Amino acid sequence: MVERPNKPSSLVATPGLPPQPTVNFSDDNSLVTATLPTGESITVLLYGATVISWKDSSSTEKLWLSSAAKLDGTKPVRGGIPLVFPVFGPPPAGHAQTSSLPQHGFARTSRWEFLGKSTSESSGDQQTGDLSVKLDFGLSSAADGLDPKGKAAWPFKFNLIYSVTLNRRDLTTSLVVTNDDERAFDCQVLMHTYLKVKDITNVTISGLDSSSYVDKVDAASTKTQSGEIRIEGETDRVYTADGPVIVSEGGKTLFTVTRDNLSNVVVWNPWVEKAKGMGDFEPKDGYKEMLCVEPGSVGGWQTLEKGDAFEGAQTIALGA
Ligand code: TA6
């Protein structure tokens, strides 16, 4: 071997990569779990692309999931973040395009395809690998997993890309709807988020003061919010509002929900009787530990012409 007295010192070993997020599939390929190096995690059921778990670094669950939730694809998941598309609520009799659809549409009852993951630096902390991880899911009119009831009732060519991004202190879900049809179609979008609280009677919701809302427990009458909201009975309100929605409990901010291009937010708690009436809502007093804050575009219709796209997103931050 030729001696080279002046050979360069060995290159400094490339510093090791910081710890990376992990992404794992369940054995039956029905679930995908992403975990940050610092312990935060999300679990997504491919059925409905339903986020069924979001845990912080101490493994504290942030989403409410009924203990009777069906996770086998036989019915929409009761809890987590079910996706509502192309219609919100019961199919409106007067809207021909959606009048035959099941309540809340077919996104939450279709099997989505996992499209992949990506990670990025969410901050400069190289040691803890303070990264974020994004999971992408897809559903199209041509997909095998599309709910046949939806395909039959809503025969438009469309494509959906749903992205779920986990950072250390927040979770973002974003939906892009594309019209691949020759015809225009109307749609509504909503992220039906079940937030976990300790005791609903100690919860206040702020940020909606002076916003108008439709009160679905009072003959769908239109009202104006005065001050913060407390949940003292069945509550089912569709607000039109900008700005963050803040969920506090015992004076401490639990969640701050911000929206991008979603002008409505539904506040829902079934309370005693409605909880009793839902077979998959368990435990029956579980209404005390959940609050739905549901960003959406549901006040009217998004009309997409051929080639048009609509994108809406929510970010749920832990704390203020
Ligand atoms: O978002 C509130 C709401 O529209 C309520 O009226 C109630 O129906 C809730 O959704 C649950 O709907 P689901 O079809 O999941 O039972």
Side-chain angles (χ1 to χ4, degrees), residues 131-147:
L131 295 166
S132 74
V133 59
K134 178 164 79 82
L135 304 178
D136 290 331
F137 302 88
L139 180 69
S140 76
S141 42
D144 293 340
L146 178 61
D147 180 347

Side-chain angles (χ1 to χ4, degrees), residues 78 88 103-104 108 192 194 216 236 266 268 294:
R78 179 66 61 203
F88 169 68
Q103 168 148 303
H104 291 336
R108 64 178 185 167
H192 201 293
Y194 288 72
K216 291 168 62 177
D236 195 350
V266 174
W268 178 60
E294 312 162 19

